Amino acid sequence: MEMMEKSTGLPELFGSMVFGEKIMKERLSKATFKAWKTCVTSGSELPLAAANEIAEAMKQWAIGKGATHYTHWFQPMTGSTAEKHDSFIEPVGDGTVVMEFSGKELVKGEPDASSFPSGGLRATFEARGYTAWDPTSFAFVKDGTLYIPTVFCAYSGQALDKKTPLLKSMDAVSRESIRILRLFGDTETKRVTAQCGPEQEYFLIDKGLYQKREDLKLTGRTLFGNKPPRGQELEDHYFGQLKPRVAAFMKDLDAELWKVGVLSKTKHNEVAPSQHEMAPIYSDANQAADQNQLTMEMMKVVADRHGFHCLLHEKPFAGVNGSGKHDNWSLGTDTGKNLFNPGSTPDQNAQFLLFLAAFIKGVDDYQEALRVTVASAGNDHRLGAQEAPPAIISIFLGDELDRVVQSIIGGQEFHGEGRKTLKIGIDMLPPIPQDNTDRNRTSPMAFTGNKFEFRMLGSSQSISGPNIALNTMMAEELSQFADRLEAAADFNAELEKLLKEVFTEHQRIVFNGNGYDASWIEEAEKRGLANLTTTADALPSYISEKNIALYTKHGIYTEEELVARYNIHVETYNAQIAIEAHTMDDIIRRQILPAVSAYAAELCRRMGDLTAAKVPVVYETKTCEKLAILTDALLDATEKLEEHLIAVPAQAEEAMRYYHEVIIADMAAARSAADQLESITDEKYWPFPVYSDLLFSE
Ligand code: ADP
Ligand code: MG
């Protein structure tokens, strides 16, 4: 029998719902296509005539894909995405309609955006903001709607979203990188692009079980629950075989992502039971940010279709690994070169070392700026725990690259040929292999061959903030280097001096040891590295003088924008802890205490029956006593929590400290009593599914 090889149809499927470059080339006039291309490569404005033609072509194409509506899709400072759908229909006066969509509607929309957080930037009387198409990210069709990626600004011109500053930071790092490239004789490169590939972790749990947990529904994480008798000890889940229902979900997810142009590439099981990961092929940081948002949304939707609920929270389960996001970041030229590739000639090596030096200096100079971009109530459960990078920022270079750096500093030979130090621009670097050691995996910022992997991101957060920080700190350091090197009489001599200086002065930020080791915290303190353990500790650095100077110098944020964002972060933190605390209180009062009381009553009744029958009641008595003690403790803790919740200070920053210092401790006490009760209560009485149900439901 002959088997016909069935086509996967993947090349046809991929990007089939995207109004991408190829479609634009086919459907636009040469002049308009060129206008768009110029706008993308040089950042110039799109002329209205071109916008009109693009709008018409986009509309025709989208209608062909079944779209009836369009939306300006944007990323407000909530960290998620927002959309408002308008239909294409336009009445023509005789009772019929036509499908209309003009250039003006493409480049500018006006959502009534009064409910998006503005951090005080926008007075309510001028509550509207406007959105403008970001021509560097492609429009796509999803669920009958044309999605137009847009920036979102207040009428005063201040950015109210995460895309605007990201685009500005990409321009800044491109500008400063090119100054450096010119010094190395590169006359061709016109644009340097920050590129990134975010690896996304998530949990899948059964939808029916999820529905029974008020904490998961309201806060995204479990506020109660004992570690199951079996957790991740066997590590048999990591890269293990996919269960059929999970495999079906992943297949469906890939297909959906491919349609809208997301280069979903790898998928595998993670360390914890029910935990998984998806990684796309990297793209420019702007598209990567859009697509990661899209990926997270799609995960939720597709999970639902498969009877799952997708948890993106950083720590859904206590005692079980949490979820993060790895932001793989590098810089690439429009001529196809990766600037973090060590290279194959001494000259390329020298250039690589300069970009490396800028990165090392940048991370050291702006530790706090980087740390604060990953601060959130959810991520506080991960960073510094023994499963995720510590809250201290450091860089892992790997043994080979570290040896090179040390040789420049002046100590050791860089390879075994008897030479003392590396002659920049003359000697070849030894090969720098990709480091995949366990040590590497404990680092918050690891060099992995030709890119850096920033591992502190929370699984649910937007990757924009961290990339804005990376791009901007790089722009700053490169501009300092360029100032100095452009003025140098002898470029090579100055370069060698600069590298030696930078590597020497910023040695403290390089750490190649085990980041999970307790001794590292002490060592880091000796080195004077920042250790901002929680969000409440980290957030103030958002508006430190140094942070404001960095971002305003490069035109990424105004001071007002930074203050506004800081306010939003503080308010978000407060709101999240408040919701968790109230949810906890509600579950204890309405579910746990009544259940435990009912069980105690049942035990008492049994004790009566058994005693009458002259049967010993040791188990019943002991359990009843324990239940009584723990119930008292739980009630006490709950009353204390309730009292404290009434006394939350009105001022936002004071409230943040108070939530951090008082409320979180109250919640821990209540949880401890509740979890002990769970361990002795008849499962028939326990009001919701426990960890082993949730994590081993397959
Ligand atoms: P792992 O981290 O599991 O070893 P890889 O190194 O293959 O996996 O890649 C992880 C992610 O890094 C992927 O999203 C990949 O596309 C991305 N990536 C690879 N090279 C680069 C680069 N030069 N710049 C940015 N991201 C990159
Ligand atoms: Mg990785």
Side-chain angles (χ1 to χ4, degrees), residues 194-199 238-239 263 265-266 268 277-283 326-332 338 340 434-436 441 448 450-453 455:
Q195 43 200 25
C196 80
E199 301 165 56
Y238 191 50
F239 280 71
L263 289 154
K265 171 95 168 124
T266 46
H268 61 75
E277 183 188 288
M278 171 273 181
I281 295 174
Y282 69 90
S283 57
H326 293 175
D327 185 40
N328 294 273
W329 177 94
S330 72
L331 294 172
N338 177 354
F340 285 99
Q434 285 217 4
D435 184 294
N436 270 317
R441 278 193 279 274
T448 47
N450 59 8
K451 63 184 190 290
F452 280 94
E453 193 166 337
R455 298 213 178 88

Short mmCIF file of all heavy atoms in Angstrom, two decimals, residues 194-199 238-239 263 265-266 268 277-283 326-332 338 340 434-436 441 448 450-453 455, ligand 1:
data_model
loop_
_atom_site.label_atom_id
_atom_site.label_comp_id
_atom_site.label_asym_id
_atom_site.label_seq_id
_atom_site.Cartn_x
_atom_site.Cartn_y
_atom_site.Cartn_z
N ALA A 194 17.63 45.93 18.41
CA ALA A 194 17.58 45.11 19.61
C ALA A 194 16.68 43.94 19.28
O ALA A 194 15.53 44.11 18.87
CB ALA A 194 17.01 45.91 20.77
N GLN A 195 17.20 42.73 19.44
CA GLN A 195 16.39 41.57 19.08
C GLN A 195 16.21 40.68 20.29
O GLN A 195 17.10 40.56 21.12
CB GLN A 195 17.01 40.80 17.91
CG GLN A 195 18.51 40.61 17.99
CD GLN A 195 19.12 40.31 16.63
OE1 GLN A 195 18.57 40.66 15.58
NE2 GLN A 195 20.25 39.62 16.63
N CYS A 196 15.05 40.09 20.39
CA CYS A 196 14.88 39.22 21.54
C CYS A 196 13.93 38.06 21.31
O CYS A 196 13.06 38.08 20.43
CB CYS A 196 14.55 40.03 22.78
SG CYS A 196 12.90 40.52 22.92
N GLY A 197 14.19 37.02 22.07
CA GLY A 197 13.39 35.79 22.02
C GLY A 197 12.97 35.45 23.44
O GLY A 197 13.80 35.01 24.23
N PRO A 198 11.71 35.69 23.79
CA PRO A 198 11.27 35.42 25.16
C PRO A 198 10.77 33.98 25.33
O PRO A 198 9.86 33.55 24.63
CB PRO A 198 10.12 36.41 25.36
CG PRO A 198 9.61 36.72 23.99
CD PRO A 198 10.65 36.34 22.99
N GLU A 199 11.39 33.25 26.25
CA GLU A 199 10.90 31.91 26.59
C GLU A 199 9.82 32.08 27.65
O GLU A 199 10.04 32.74 28.65
CB GLU A 199 12.04 31.06 27.14
CG GLU A 199 13.21 30.89 26.17
CD GLU A 199 14.45 30.35 26.88
OE1 GLU A 199 14.37 29.29 27.50
OE2 GLU A 199 15.49 31.00 26.80
N TYR A 238 10.43 17.19 33.65
CA TYR A 238 11.25 18.07 32.83
C TYR A 238 11.59 17.40 31.50
O TYR A 238 12.19 16.34 31.46
CB TYR A 238 12.51 18.43 33.60
CG TYR A 238 13.31 19.54 32.98
CD1 TYR A 238 12.71 20.74 32.59
CD2 TYR A 238 14.67 19.40 32.79
CE1 TYR A 238 13.44 21.77 32.04
CE2 TYR A 238 15.42 20.43 32.24
CZ TYR A 238 14.81 21.61 31.86
OH TYR A 238 15.54 22.62 31.32
N PHE A 239 11.21 18.01 30.42
CA PHE A 239 11.41 17.47 29.08
C PHE A 239 10.80 16.08 28.90
O PHE A 239 11.15 15.35 28.00
CB PHE A 239 12.90 17.41 28.72
CG PHE A 239 13.45 18.74 28.29
CD1 PHE A 239 13.63 19.76 29.21
CD2 PHE A 239 13.76 19.00 26.97
CE1 PHE A 239 14.11 21.01 28.83
CE2 PHE A 239 14.25 20.24 26.58
CZ PHE A 239 14.43 21.23 27.51
N LEU A 263 6.60 33.05 15.58
CA LEU A 263 7.50 31.95 15.23
C LEU A 263 7.68 30.99 16.41
O LEU A 263 8.79 30.81 16.91
CB LEU A 263 8.85 32.51 14.80
CG LEU A 263 8.86 33.23 13.45
CD1 LEU A 263 9.98 34.24 13.40
CD2 LEU A 263 9.01 32.23 12.31
N LYS A 265 8.57 27.99 18.34
CA LYS A 265 9.58 27.04 17.86
C LYS A 265 9.70 25.82 18.77
O LYS A 265 9.60 24.69 18.33
CB LYS A 265 10.91 27.80 17.78
CG LYS A 265 12.11 26.96 17.51
CD LYS A 265 12.44 26.92 16.05
CE LYS A 265 13.82 26.33 15.81
NZ LYS A 265 13.83 25.22 14.92
N THR A 266 9.93 26.06 20.04
CA THR A 266 10.11 24.90 20.91
C THR A 266 9.03 24.86 21.97
O THR A 266 8.50 25.87 22.39
CB THR A 266 11.47 24.93 21.64
OG1 THR A 266 11.66 26.23 22.15
CG2 THR A 266 12.60 24.58 20.73
N HIS A 268 8.12 22.35 25.53
CA HIS A 268 8.48 21.18 26.33
C HIS A 268 7.90 21.29 27.72
O HIS A 268 7.44 22.36 28.13
CB HIS A 268 9.99 20.97 26.37
CG HIS A 268 10.76 22.11 26.99
ND1 HIS A 268 10.81 22.33 28.33
CD2 HIS A 268 11.51 23.08 26.43
CE1 HIS A 268 11.57 23.38 28.59
NE2 HIS A 268 12.00 23.87 27.45
N GLU A 277 6.72 25.04 28.80
CA GLU A 277 7.39 26.22 28.26
C GLU A 277 7.22 26.30 26.76
O GLU A 277 7.16 25.30 26.06
CB GLU A 277 8.89 26.17 28.59
CG GLU A 277 9.62 27.42 28.11
CD GLU A 277 11.13 27.31 28.25
OE1 GLU A 277 11.61 27.36 29.39
OE2 GLU A 277 11.80 27.19 27.22
N MET A 278 7.15 27.52 26.27
CA MET A 278 7.12 27.75 24.83
C MET A 278 8.17 28.81 24.50
O MET A 278 8.34 29.77 25.24
CB MET A 278 5.72 28.27 24.47
CG MET A 278 5.56 28.75 23.06
SD MET A 278 6.02 30.50 22.93
CE MET A 278 5.71 30.78 21.21
N ALA A 279 8.93 28.60 23.44
CA ALA A 279 9.90 29.62 23.01
C ALA A 279 9.73 29.90 21.53
O ALA A 279 9.59 28.98 20.72
CB ALA A 279 11.32 29.16 23.29
N PRO A 280 9.71 31.17 21.15
CA PRO A 280 9.65 31.53 19.73
C PRO A 280 11.06 31.73 19.20
O PRO A 280 12.00 31.85 19.98
CB PRO A 280 8.93 32.87 19.76
CG PRO A 280 9.40 33.50 21.03
CD PRO A 280 9.69 32.37 22.01
N ILE A 281 11.19 31.79 17.90
CA ILE A 281 12.45 32.24 17.32
C ILE A 281 12.52 33.75 17.52
O ILE A 281 11.50 34.43 17.41
CB ILE A 281 12.51 31.89 15.82
CG1 ILE A 281 12.53 30.36 15.66
CG2 ILE A 281 13.72 32.53 15.15
CD1 ILE A 281 12.43 29.88 14.23
N TYR A 282 13.70 34.25 17.83
CA TYR A 282 13.78 35.67 18.17
C TYR A 282 13.43 36.58 17.01
O TYR A 282 13.57 36.22 15.84
CB TYR A 282 15.17 36.00 18.72
CG TYR A 282 16.29 35.94 17.70
CD1 TYR A 282 16.64 37.07 16.98
CD2 TYR A 282 16.99 34.77 17.47
CE1 TYR A 282 17.66 37.03 16.05
CE2 TYR A 282 18.01 34.70 16.55
CZ TYR A 282 18.34 35.84 15.84
OH TYR A 282 19.35 35.78 14.92
N SER A 283 12.98 37.78 17.36
CA SER A 283 12.72 38.81 16.35
C SER A 283 13.08 40.15 16.96
O SER A 283 13.62 40.19 18.06
CB SER A 283 11.25 38.79 15.94
OG SER A 283 10.44 38.97 17.09
N HIS A 326 12.32 34.11 30.16
CA HIS A 326 13.72 34.43 29.88
C HIS A 326 13.78 35.33 28.67
O HIS A 326 13.34 34.95 27.59
CB HIS A 326 14.52 33.15 29.62
CG HIS A 326 14.66 32.28 30.84
ND1 HIS A 326 15.25 31.04 30.82
CD2 HIS A 326 14.30 32.50 32.12
CE1 HIS A 326 15.24 30.52 32.03
NE2 HIS A 326 14.66 31.39 32.84
N ASP A 327 14.34 36.50 28.87
CA ASP A 327 14.43 37.47 27.79
C ASP A 327 15.81 37.35 27.15
O ASP A 327 16.78 37.88 27.65
CB ASP A 327 14.21 38.87 28.38
CG ASP A 327 14.16 39.95 27.33
OD1 ASP A 327 13.57 39.71 26.26
OD2 ASP A 327 14.72 41.04 27.56
N ASN A 328 15.89 36.61 26.06
CA ASN A 328 17.15 36.49 25.33
C ASN A 328 17.32 37.74 24.48
O ASN A 328 16.45 38.03 23.66
CB ASN A 328 17.12 35.25 24.43
CG ASN A 328 17.07 33.97 25.25
OD1 ASN A 328 18.08 33.44 25.64
ND2 ASN A 328 15.86 33.49 25.55
N TRP A 329 18.41 38.43 24.67
CA TRP A 329 18.56 39.77 24.09
C TRP A 329 19.91 39.93 23.41
O TRP A 329 20.93 39.46 23.94
CB TRP A 329 18.40 40.80 25.22
CG TRP A 329 18.59 42.22 24.83
CD1 TRP A 329 17.61 43.11 24.47
CD2 TRP A 329 19.82 42.96 24.79
NE1 TRP A 329 18.16 44.34 24.21
CE2 TRP A 329 19.52 44.27 24.39
CE3 TRP A 329 21.16 42.63 25.05
CZ2 TRP A 329 20.48 45.26 24.25
CZ3 TRP A 329 22.14 43.61 24.89
CH2 TRP A 329 21.79 44.91 24.50
N SER A 330 19.91 40.54 22.26
CA SER A 330 21.17 40.87 21.60
C SER A 330 20.95 42.04 20.65
O SER A 330 19.84 42.54 20.53
CB SER A 330 21.72 39.67 20.83
OG SER A 330 20.93 39.44 19.68
N LEU A 331 22.01 42.46 19.97
CA LEU A 331 21.89 43.54 19.00
C LEU A 331 22.32 43.01 17.63
O LEU A 331 23.37 42.38 17.52
CB LEU A 331 22.80 44.71 19.39
CG LEU A 331 22.46 45.46 20.68
CD1 LEU A 331 23.56 46.46 21.02
CD2 LEU A 331 21.10 46.16 20.56
N GLY A 332 21.50 43.28 16.62
CA GLY A 332 21.83 42.82 15.27
C GLY A 332 21.83 43.99 14.29
O GLY A 332 21.09 44.95 14.48
N ASN A 338 25.41 39.83 14.18
CA ASN A 338 25.06 39.88 15.60
C ASN A 338 26.24 40.49 16.35
O ASN A 338 27.34 39.95 16.34
CB ASN A 338 24.78 38.45 16.10
CG ASN A 338 24.50 38.41 17.58
OD1 ASN A 338 24.61 39.41 18.29
ND2 ASN A 338 24.13 37.24 18.07
N PHE A 340 26.93 40.62 19.35
CA PHE A 340 27.43 39.87 20.51
C PHE A 340 28.03 38.53 20.09
O PHE A 340 28.21 37.63 20.90
CB PHE A 340 26.34 39.71 21.57
CG PHE A 340 26.11 40.98 22.33
CD1 PHE A 340 25.05 41.82 22.01
CD2 PHE A 340 26.99 41.36 23.33
CE1 PHE A 340 24.87 43.01 22.68
CE2 PHE A 340 26.81 42.56 24.01
CZ PHE A 340 25.75 43.39 23.70
N GLN A 434 29.22 27.77 23.65
CA GLN A 434 27.96 28.05 24.36
C GLN A 434 28.00 27.34 25.70
O GLN A 434 28.25 26.15 25.76
CB GLN A 434 26.78 27.51 23.56
CG GLN A 434 26.46 28.36 22.38
CD GLN A 434 24.97 28.44 22.14
OE1 GLN A 434 24.17 27.93 22.91
NE2 GLN A 434 24.60 29.10 21.06
N ASP A 435 27.76 28.09 26.73
CA ASP A 435 27.83 27.50 28.06
C ASP A 435 26.45 27.05 28.49
O ASP A 435 25.51 27.81 28.50
CB ASP A 435 28.35 28.55 29.05
CG ASP A 435 28.53 27.96 30.44
OD1 ASP A 435 27.53 27.58 31.07
OD2 ASP A 435 29.68 27.88 30.89
N ASN A 436 26.33 25.78 28.79
CA ASN A 436 25.02 25.28 29.23
C ASN A 436 25.12 24.58 30.57
O ASN A 436 24.44 23.61 30.84
CB ASN A 436 24.41 24.35 28.19
CG ASN A 436 23.57 25.15 27.22
OD1 ASN A 436 22.83 26.03 27.65
ND2 ASN A 436 23.71 24.88 25.94
N ARG A 441 22.63 28.45 34.62
CA ARG A 441 21.18 28.54 34.82
C ARG A 441 20.77 29.24 36.13
O ARG A 441 19.63 29.58 36.30
CB ARG A 441 20.55 27.15 34.74
CG ARG A 441 20.31 26.72 33.31
CD ARG A 441 19.41 25.50 33.25
NE ARG A 441 20.16 24.29 33.51
CZ ARG A 441 20.81 23.59 32.60
NH1 ARG A 441 20.81 24.01 31.34
NH2 ARG A 441 21.45 22.49 32.89
N THR A 448 25.17 33.63 26.72
CA THR A 448 25.00 32.28 26.18
C THR A 448 25.47 32.22 24.72
O THR A 448 24.70 31.92 23.82
CB THR A 448 23.56 31.77 26.33
OG1 THR A 448 22.67 32.79 25.87
CG2 THR A 448 23.21 31.43 27.76
N ASN A 450 26.07 34.11 22.09
CA ASN A 450 25.95 35.27 21.20
C ASN A 450 24.81 36.18 21.62
O ASN A 450 24.31 36.97 20.84
CB ASN A 450 25.74 34.80 19.76
CG ASN A 450 24.49 33.95 19.62
OD1 ASN A 450 23.70 33.83 20.56
ND2 ASN A 450 24.30 33.38 18.45
N LYS A 451 24.39 36.04 22.87
CA LYS A 451 23.28 36.85 23.39
C LYS A 451 23.33 36.80 24.91
O LYS A 451 24.04 35.97 25.48
CB LYS A 451 21.95 36.26 22.92
CG LYS A 451 21.71 34.84 23.46
CD LYS A 451 20.42 34.24 22.91
CE LYS A 451 20.00 32.97 23.58
NZ LYS A 451 20.80 31.78 23.32
N PHE A 452 22.60 37.67 25.54
CA PHE A 452 22.44 37.59 26.98
C PHE A 452 21.04 37.10 27.28
O PHE A 452 20.09 37.43 26.58
CB PHE A 452 22.68 38.96 27.64
CG PHE A 452 24.13 39.26 27.79
CD1 PHE A 452 24.80 39.99 26.82
CD2 PHE A 452 24.84 38.79 28.88
CE1 PHE A 452 26.15 40.24 26.93
CE2 PHE A 452 26.20 39.04 29.01
CZ PHE A 452 26.85 39.77 28.04
N GLU A 453 20.96 36.32 28.33
CA GLU A 453 19.66 35.80 28.73
C GLU A 453 19.32 36.42 30.09
O GLU A 453 19.94 36.10 31.10
CB GLU A 453 19.75 34.27 28.82
CG GLU A 453 18.41 33.60 28.94
CD GLU A 453 18.49 32.08 28.69
OE1 GLU A 453 19.44 31.62 28.02
OE2 GLU A 453 17.59 31.38 29.15
N ARG A 455 17.06 36.53 33.06
CA ARG A 455 16.17 35.47 33.54
C ARG A 455 15.26 35.88 34.69
O ARG A 455 14.63 35.03 35.30
CB ARG A 455 17.02 34.30 34.04
CG ARG A 455 17.87 33.67 32.97
CD ARG A 455 17.98 32.20 33.26
NE ARG A 455 18.74 31.50 32.25
CZ ARG A 455 20.05 31.35 32.27
NH1 ARG A 455 20.76 31.85 33.27
NH2 ARG A 455 20.66 30.69 31.31
P1 ADP B 1 17.98 27.67 25.36
O1 ADP B 1 17.99 28.95 26.13
O2 ADP B 1 16.87 26.76 25.81
O3 ADP B 1 19.31 27.03 25.31
P2 ADP B 1 18.24 28.82 22.70
O4 ADP B 1 19.55 29.33 23.11
O5 ADP B 1 18.17 28.05 21.44
O6 ADP B 1 17.57 27.96 23.85
O7 ADP B 1 17.24 30.02 22.51
C1 ADP B 1 16.40 30.51 23.46
C2 ADP B 1 15.77 31.74 22.85
O8 ADP B 1 16.78 32.68 22.51
C3 ADP B 1 14.96 31.50 21.59
O9 ADP B 1 13.80 32.27 21.66
C4 ADP B 1 15.90 32.00 20.53
O10 ADP B 1 15.25 32.41 19.36
C5 ADP B 1 16.54 33.17 21.22
N1 ADP B 1 17.77 33.63 20.59
C6 ADP B 1 18.70 32.89 19.95
N2 ADP B 1 19.67 33.69 19.46
C7 ADP B 1 19.34 34.96 19.81
C8 ADP B 1 19.93 36.23 19.60
N3 ADP B 1 21.06 36.38 18.93
N4 ADP B 1 19.30 37.30 20.09
C9 ADP B 1 18.17 37.18 20.79
N5 ADP B 1 17.57 36.02 21.01
C10 ADP B 1 18.13 34.92 20.53
#
